[in-house]
Amino acid sequence: GNSVTQMEGPVTLSEEAFLTINCTYTATGYPSLFWYVQYPGEGLQLLLKATKADDKGSNKGFEATYRKETTSFHLEKGSVQVSDSAVYFCALSDPAGNQFYFGTGTSLTVIP
Amino acid sequence: EAGVTQSPTHLIKTRGQQATLRCSPISGHTSVYWYQQALGLGLQFLLWYDEGEERNRGNFPPRFSGRQFPNYSSELNVNALELEDSALYLCASIMTGWSYNSPLHFGNGTRLTVT
């Protein structure tokens, strides 16, 4: 079946630190992979996506590479800002089953 | 382009009452998903509507129900409210027959509090 496993939080970093949030997946087919971000009091916003192996998604300084051999899609950012404080969700899509599968979310707090 | 809109933003009900939550998808999107996000937990899939029909539901009791209207907007009803129904309810939309690279688009949610 399909599932997403995300590293547990919360994660606290100092401003300008390097960020990695781990995400691994299990899929029966060839899913697309997504990272969403949820700011306090809001819904989820698409941060980036990758649709096939070795694709790199990037947006706002965040990057993630679709690694089929390790079934991973880790989120990285070289220098975090206070404004990056949010909850991050890894997700995969299964068009055949018309379903999306979400990780449990990782809370990130960046302190000045 | 207007995003997914949800109303009301906040809803306070007492145990045993009914709650109705509304969602308008992005123009052109005909498929609506509902999720429950309880405090400290991830997203739990509730219901999927597509072109006016309920296509799938998650592991929730029958008192969680809904419908999709001809204009593709959707309504989630929760009957006989219980304290543990307190959560953020998120609606998301996507085109029917979406391809493998299409993302879900989310609204900002309705915060339901049951006292």
Side-chain angles (χ1 to χ4, degrees), chain A:
Chain A
N2 298 308
S3 67
V4 175
T5 301
Q6 230 177 292
M7 68 181 279
E8 299 216 1
V11 174
T12 303
L13 294 173
S14 297
E15 204 164 24
E16 299 183 1
F18 184 85
L19 168 71
T20 299
I21 300 177
N22 290 336
C23 171
T24 58
Y25 68 90
T26 303
T28 52
Y30 301 94
S32 288
L33 300 172
F34 306 86
W35 276 101
Y36 283 86
V37 59
Q38 184 179 34
Y39 298 103
E42 297 184 9
L44 277 68
Q45 301 175 23
L46 179 66
L47 182 58
L48 53 84
K49 69 178 183 182
T51 58
K52 61 182 186 298
D54 300 324
D55 261 4
K56 177 186 282 189
S58 61
N59 186 25
K60 300 180 182 179
F62 290 90
E63 292 183 341
T65 302
Y66 189 162
R67 301 282 189 205
K68 193 162 183 276
E69 63 277 12
T70 55
T71 62
S72 65
F73 192 54
H74 305 320
L75 182 68
E76 297 182 334
K77 187 176 186 184
S79 176
V80 293
Q81 306 300 313
V82 172
S83 57
D84 294 327
S85 298
V87 180
Y88 293 81
F89 290 90
C90 184
L92 71 83
S93 70
D94 171 24
N98 292 290
Q99 266 295 5
F100 283 78
Y101 297 84
F102 289 86
T104 53
T106 301
S107 175
L108 170 67
T109 300
V110 181
I111 55 177

Side-chain angles (χ1 to χ4, degrees), chain B residues 8-65:
Chain B
T9 306
H10 293 88
L11 189 57
I12 300 175
K13 294 285 186 178
T14 56
R15 196 168 45 184
Q17 288 188 316
Q18 180 197 34
T20 298
L21 289 64
R22 296 182 176 83
C23 171
S24 291
I26 288 173
S27 178
H29 287 189
T30 54
S31 209
V32 168
Y33 291 76
W34 286 95
Y35 292 88
Q36 182 195 66
Q37 187 180 23
L39 194 63
L41 298 178
L43 276 68
Q44 305 298 314
F45 167 67
L46 266 166
L47 290 157
W48 169 41
Y49 292 94
D50 182 58
E51 296 197 327
E53 300 287 330
E54 181 181 306
R55 304 293 185 182
N56 197 10
R57 67 180 293 129
N59 190 24
F60 281 84
R63 57 192 187 81
F64 287 84
S65 65

